[in-house]
Amino acid sequence: MVTIKTAEEIALMRKANQIVRDTLLAVEEKIKAGMTTAQVDRIVHDYITKCGATPSFLGYEGYPASACVSIDEEVVHGIPDAERRIEEGQIVSVDVGSIYKGYNGDAARTFAIGEISAEKRRLIDVTKQSFFEGVKVLKAGVRLGDLGHAIQSYVEANGFSVVRALCGHGIGTDMHEDPEVLNFGKPGHGLRLKAGMTIAIEPMVNAGTYQVYMRDNGWTVVTADGRPSAHYENTVAITEDGVEILSL
Ligand code: MF3
Ligand code: CO
């Protein structure tokens, strides 16, 4: 069921998402080569709890941490590890969720560690811009296929691919609500959006093939060809004439 949020509910979601945004800014400030992915998780956990919110990922379907920290060929759901050190030249996607007074925030960014290759730089930039290409077409009355198409065509015009096996989602009192928000699609198809719907839009973009597989840990999704992947996500509220990006 796709729900329409009231202004009061959107105000709480704004707060949950501002906490997520600020958490990611704190990570951006501190993340560097030599740090373990568990240390990144610690920053996230401490920041969210200090804000009076709850890390939504911790314990979600048994997930063991507050953040997903995914390096290079890891697309999403990298599990923080006290033995795993971040290295110069890597790209690191950090995905964070918080619950504030019963409402969810969800966002992700991909960070460059020191000097990175030109291809990785372009991958990060194209992934972020693909989100904004999607946002440009959004307002009440637009269909999810129009959004997916806008994201996909921008990514493919830049020579990269969108992951098909994972998608964005409605969000509210649950982190994952209907509808599924695909990063590919056909114009004029899919659910028609209404003002007050809140969705997390999260393009996952691969340098090579869109194909992915899951590691034996049951969580971490990696590219099939081992080439890098980037992730960019924000929670948005649909309005009559556009969107409000709640996590920016
Ligand atoms: N933030 C992810 C999403 O956008 C969910 C993380 S899965 C969890 O859908 F288990 F880590 F919570
Ligand atoms: Co999400």
Side-chain angles (χ1 to χ4, degrees):
M1 190 185 52
V2 181
T3 59
I4 306 288
K5 274 72 178 181
T6 64
E8 292 71 26
E9 289 180 290
I10 288 176
L12 292 171
M13 290 188 67
R14 200 176 282 124
K15 180 74 185 169
N17 278 288
Q18 285 169 356
I19 292 167
V20 162
R21 171 202 65 196
D22 291 345
T23 304
L24 288 165
L25 288 171
V27 170
E28 182 169 29
E29 245 173 50
K30 298 193 176 103
I31 195 167
K32 61 174 190 321
M35 192 178 259
T36 68
T37 56
Q39 284 175 298
V40 174
D41 183 62
R42 169 57 59 186
I43 295 167
V44 167
H45 183 273
D46 289 353
Y47 197 95
I48 292 174
T49 50
K50 191 190 78 186
C51 293
T54 307
S56 56
F57 296 2
L58 189 58
Y60 181 88
E61 292 182 8
Y63 188 75
S66 300
C68 299
V69 185
S70 310
I71 299 178
D72 285 348
E73 76 281 4
E74 295 171 346
V75 179
V76 288
H77 305 166
I79 300 176
D81 181 341
E83 306 292 312
R84 180 102 187 264
R85 284 188 196 281
I86 295 169
E87 295 166 20
E88 167 90 16
Q90 291 181 329
I91 60 173
V92 182
S93 305
V94 180
D95 191 347
V96 166
S98 86
I99 304 175
Y100 181 78
K101 296 194 175 162
Y103 285 84
N104 278 269
D106 188 2
R109 307 281 181 259
T110 299
F111 302 114
I113 307 302
E115 286 284 310
I116 58 170
S117 69
E119 180 185 63
K120 285 180 175 178
R121 180 73 263 162
R122 214 164 58 76
L123 185 63
I124 291 176
D125 294 344
V126 167
T127 305
K128 179 176 181 181
Q129 187 56 31
S130 75
F131 166 87
F132 288 98
E133 294 297 318
V135 158
K136 273 187 204 166
V137 306
L138 279 183
K139 60 181 179 181
V142 164
R143 304 177 79 151
L144 281 174
D146 301 319
L147 170 66
H149 178 75
I151 293 171
Q152 179 181 19
S153 50
Y154 179 78
V155 167
E156 292 179 354
N158 281 282
F160 296 141
S161 66
V162 294
V163 174
R164 312 278 206 274
L166 297 151
C167 60
H169 48 92
I171 178 168
T173 52
D174 288 325
M175 172 162 61
H176 293 139
E177 299 185 352
D178 290 336
E180 287 191 336
V181 179
L182 306 184
N183 297 305
F184 58 97
K186 280 201 203 122
H189 285 69
L191 177 79
R192 205 178 279 287
L193 295 164
K194 294 194 180 117
M197 288 180 179
T198 47
I199 58 174
I201 303 168
E202 50 177 316
M204 289 150 269
V205 176
N206 294 352
T209 177
Y210 68 81
Q211 282 161 312
V212 296
Y213 68 91
M214 192 178 306
R215 285 220 178 111
D216 291 342
N217 67 16
W219 280 104
T220 310
V221 176
V222 299
T223 59
D225 58 10
R227 292 178 68 189
S229 184
H231 187 201
Y232 185 82
E233 174 180 27
N234 284 304
T235 299
V236 312
I238 308 298
T239 64
E240 290 301 341
D241 51 7
V243 295
E244 178 183 348
I245 303 174
L246 300 175
S247 50
L248 272 189

